[in-house]
Amino acid sequence: MLKKKAIIFSLDAIFAIIIAGIMILACFFYLSQTSTNLYKNQDIYKISLDSLTILEKDNTLKTAVETSNTTIIQQFLNSLSEQHCGNITLYTSSSAAILSAQKTGCTSKNESTIAIRSFVANNSNIYYANMEAWYK
Amino acid sequence: MNKAQIFSLDAVIAIGIFILILLSAALVWNYSREKISIEETRNDMEIIARNSLAVLIETKGNPTNWTDYDFNQTDIYSLGLADEFLLLNSTKINSLSSADYSTAKTILGILGSNYEFRLNIDTWNGASYISNYTIGTAPNATASEVVNIERFVLLDDLWAKTTMKLWKSCEDATC
């Protein structure tokens, strides 16, 4: 009688184990992905809107236009939290940019949000303040 | 006479793989259920923190002269620290500061299990923001989640930064 040696594990079984292992690892890898903050764009937009609102209400924007000086706006931008960046540009009603200031140390932009607020200066002339904000 | 097989090696391997997949599915199920629960809690806290800070700094409260009333849920429907949008009133801030913390939490809608809050109002002194008012309880070592929301306001004509910290206290192991 011819003695034949058999394979302990068939190839099918080995492939099944490998595929099952890959699927399980893929599930864990996918599930371990952390989700980013869903509200971060909303937060940075609120920062822009709030900033323009308080700068308009305390007449900082009006003073900047009338004195052609962005020192106080620059000071405000530099006081933003470390993770926030922003720039403020002032426009006339005919969309001509007249003044601009950006937080020191902020250069590259990722996703940014823009808020616009109108204000009055120079004998009831209308101007617009545009604030672009982003995360460092 | 032929002998039949009850178990073949292939069947044993197949059963083994099947059990392995079932166990893995149970582990993955448990893991994803826990992760979803944590994310839902976090989202809930984010929404509550944003809404409560918005009500405080954007509105006058209801009634607008709530500082004249007894501090309870029957007489006060909502709390607002503002005279107008983003312009805060220091009298209202002082009233909230000295009011009962649990009642304030309820009126603000911070009702989740073990949710606590801390509101900081820092004012600009020309060079930096300095702490001016603190209301509520700071996160302690047992805090499992802390949500931080920051917004700008005006207080007594000064730039001010309001920070709402909403956190979940975990005093027991069930957290």
Side-chain angles (χ1 to χ4, degrees), chain A residues 8 33 43 50 57 81, chain B residues 9 35 50 84 150-151:
Chain A
I8 297 175
Q33 301 291 308
D43 286 344
D50 291 350
K57 284 182 187 258
S81 300
Chain B
L9 190 58
K35 192 161 186 259
R50 272 180 187 73
E84 56 179 86
E150 210 173 80
R151 290 188 63 178

Side-chain angles (χ1 to χ4, degrees), chain A residues 17 19 21 80:
Chain A
I17 291 170
I19 289 170
L80 292 174

Side-chain angles (χ1 to χ4, degrees), chain A:
Chain A
M1 194 171 164
L2 200 61
K3 284 188 183 173
K4 288 183 181 174
K5 287 187 181 173
I7 301 169
I8 297 175
F9 291 104
S10 68
L11 281 176
D12 281 353
I14 292 170
F15 284 141
I17 291 170
I18 292 170
I19 289 170
I22 290 170
M23 298 286 283
I24 291 161
L25 283 172
C27 284
F28 273 112
F29 175 74
Y30 178 73
L31 286 170
S32 67
Q33 301 291 308
T34 52
S35 56
T36 55
N37 184 350
L38 300 171
Y39 303 99
K40 78 177 185 172
N41 282 345
Q42 199 185 95
D43 286 344
I44 200 76
Y45 177 69
K46 285 281 187 187
I47 296 266
S48 303
L49 213 52
D50 291 350
S51 300
L52 291 180
T53 302
I54 67 173
L55 292 177
E56 189 259 324
K57 284 182 187 258
D58 77 344
N59 292 322
T60 298
L61 298 177
K62 179 176 186 285
T63 306
V65 167
E66 290 173 357
T67 59
S68 297
N69 189 330
T70 57
T71 306
I72 299 180
I73 295 178
Q74 185 70 57
Q75 195 181 49
F76 178 83
L77 288 171
N78 288 344
S79 76
L80 292 174
S81 300
E82 206 181 311
Q83 71 270 29
H84 296 135
C85 280
N87 72 41
I88 292 177
T89 306
L90 305 184
Y91 295 87
T92 62
S93 53
S94 51
S95 304
I98 49 173
L99 291 169
S100 186
Q102 179 159 306
K103 182 180 176 184
T104 311
C106 288
T107 46
S108 59
K109 287 176 205 174
N110 298 322
E111 285 179 44
S112 64
T113 62
I114 293 175
I116 299 175
R117 188 173 176 98
S118 60
F119 63 99
V120 170
N122 283 335
N123 297 324
S124 307
N125 288 322
I126 295 173
Y127 293 85
Y128 297 96
N130 175 318
M131 179 164 176
E132 189 177 2
W134 63 97
Y135 286 100
K136 226 178 206 176

